[in-house]
Amino acid sequence: MASFRFENRSGAELLAPDRTRFSFWAPACETVLLEVEGLPPVTMEQQDDGFFTAEATCGAGTRYRYRIREGFSVPDPASRYQPEGVHGPSEIIDPEFYQWKQPDWKGRPWEDTVVYEVHLGLEGGFEGMVERLGELVDLGITAIEIMPVNTFGGNWNWGYDGVLIYAPTTPYGRPSLLKAFIDHAHSLGLMVFLDVVYNHFGPDGNYLPEYAEAMFDPDSRTVWGEGIDFKNPIVADFFLDNALYWLMEYRFDGLRIDAAWAITDRNWFAKLLQRIDHHKEPGRHIHLILENENNDSGLLADGYDGQWDEDWHHAVTVLLSGETNGYFAAFQHNTIGLLRRVLAEGFAWQGEYFAPAEKMRGSPSGALPPTKFVTFLQNHDQIGNRPDGARMITFTDPDCFHAAFALLLLSPMTPMLFMGEEWGSTTPFYFFCNFHGELAQTVREGREEQFRKYSNITDPAALAALPDPNDPKTYAASRPDRAERDTPRGRKWLGRTKELLSIRHDRITPHLKGAKSAGAEVLSERAVLAQWTLANGTLLSVAINFGDETLPIAEPTSILYETVPDRVTGTLPPRSFMAGLDRPI
């Protein structure tokens, strides 16, 4: 049993059981009062760099605010817990209260990773998800990636509208329950990754402009509003410390950095690697995953473990569904050629002009290991940003989807599943939030505009019929129906998923470190063959045919998996997949 603590410069830090130090960055203020429940207000001492500090006789469980002007008090931007939500007081937390049962857990190598993305709110919060972990381990999952748990406005949200990024959101449970969830996952051999949002703050409960306008960069606009000024060292440290806080105090095994392209100072990414390397324990595995429209191969070469590979997803989606709206338009021409490049080199765009963004996109990625690319058929964005929240399995050819699913799990790239995908869930996953009044209306109108632009929905009646993100029914309807899991179809999909992951862990994973591409070739307008040399010299081949014609292929020495059991040797049937190994010569 042991406890862990990461001491932040900002926020409330216990000095003793009944003594706490408070530090609050408010460069726009001349005076700040610390308001602690049960105590008279304390005038905080102003520092030269915009911080205000004070100490008070109080301990864990005490609630407090900062009064920045007469009649106006705000929560702590580095609050460790907000028991009454984003507009309420902050609570002092003793980080050493929780005693870890698995303090010596070191994590797992990146090559072991099979990611499972999940929204904890839909699974019953921190305690509810604990009950799911055993079945995921049995399936072959090695890492849980949880959507953001930072405190957001309302009782439900995707999590990307967070405003207090150090505080686990109250609807999911207290901080100790989050630690217990992670601790239990570690006891089962599971890594836990946290999705963090460092590119913007949400619209409800964001008080920073009232006292720290210097947090923002007026010259940097994002789709969510004013960007963050990462060139300000205090601002940069606020987010660096947050990353370390989750990794060192909560023992997360890694972070997925949302919309990394909107973090304007590229040097910040190098600083994060350096800080983690300085603080982490010897032998501990910590993994960093990027969501990055820029396809910045340099960050992956410098030490970031992986990037969500949207090029892989978009090429496969166009082949499966024929969609050409929105960002799929860039993939409608030479789709199989783009998939060939992705399988061989990681990214489809490596410095070429990318029309949807109206700019050059990407950098050469062919020298990177295949494990650097996190691939997926479905995730929260790709389902939830559809007008009807439909999962891909509900609108594509079943045989082709099975083939694509096998490609996902048996290529040496790092695969990710979305909650319920393992049993072929057909439950929609909508965008949802819990805003009110004018803000709720703004969100509704914003979604309608998005669907007009990217989905070509212009009929007012059709737009009006879309699920309201703020309706409790929209949130409830997004919870995967576990009754599907126990149907014959659900059991068939579970068996299929388990079989594929068993093959991956037994025959591919042990030889992934040092694996490299051996090239890929187009077999037809709707079929491709890709090969990789694994670390033991074995040649892994995968072939997928989205078309209607049988194609000739070279037969591997040993077949790992095929979606058509009675396949004729040396052929690739319509709407099928095959994977095999050839021994080194």
Side-chain angles (χ1 to χ4, degrees), residues 354-420:
F354 188 64
E358 299 181 337
K359 65 178 184 180
M360 310 301 280
R361 176 180 184 234
S363 52
S365 56
L368 294 170
T371 51
K372 290 282 186 178
F373 305 96
V374 179
T375 56
F376 47 87
L377 286 168
Q378 303 180 100
N379 64 27
H380 72 272
D381 271 331
Q382 301 304 334
I383 306 172
N385 284 328
R386 291 182 176 277
D388 55 0
R391 293 180 181 248
M392 191 183 296
I393 198 171
T394 65
F395 59 85
T396 58
D397 176 84
D399 292 334
C400 283
F401 187 83
H402 179 193
F405 191 72
L407 174 68
L408 172 70
L409 297 186
L410 293 185
S411 90
M413 294 168 162
T414 301
M416 182 175 74
L417 301 179
F418 185 68
M419 56 190 302

Side-chain angles (χ1 to χ4, degrees), residues 516-534:
K516 58 184 179 181
S517 173
E521 67 174 292
V522 170
L523 301 177
S524 77
E525 289 186 358
R526 295 182 59 77
V528 66
L529 166 73
Q531 296 178 310
W532 297 266
T533 303
L534 302 182

Side-chain angles (χ1 to χ4, degrees), residues 406-466:
L407 174 68
L408 172 70
L409 297 186
L410 293 185
S411 90
M413 294 168 162
T414 301
M416 182 175 74
L417 301 179
F418 185 68
M419 56 190 302
E421 188 172 356
E422 69 273 27
W423 71 74
S425 174
T426 61
T427 304
F429 181 80
Y430 299 113
F431 175 75
F432 49 76
C433 51
N434 185 209
F435 298 140
H436 304 281
E438 184 178 338
L439 179 55
Q441 182 61 29
T442 298
V443 170
R444 281 193 293 270
E445 292 173 353
R447 295 294 286 180
E448 290 180 5
E449 177 58 30
Q450 176 181 337
F451 295 136
R452 273 192 291 267
K453 181 177 180 180
Y454 293 108
S455 302
N456 294 334
I457 300 177
T458 57
D459 178 29
L463 290 168
L466 294 172

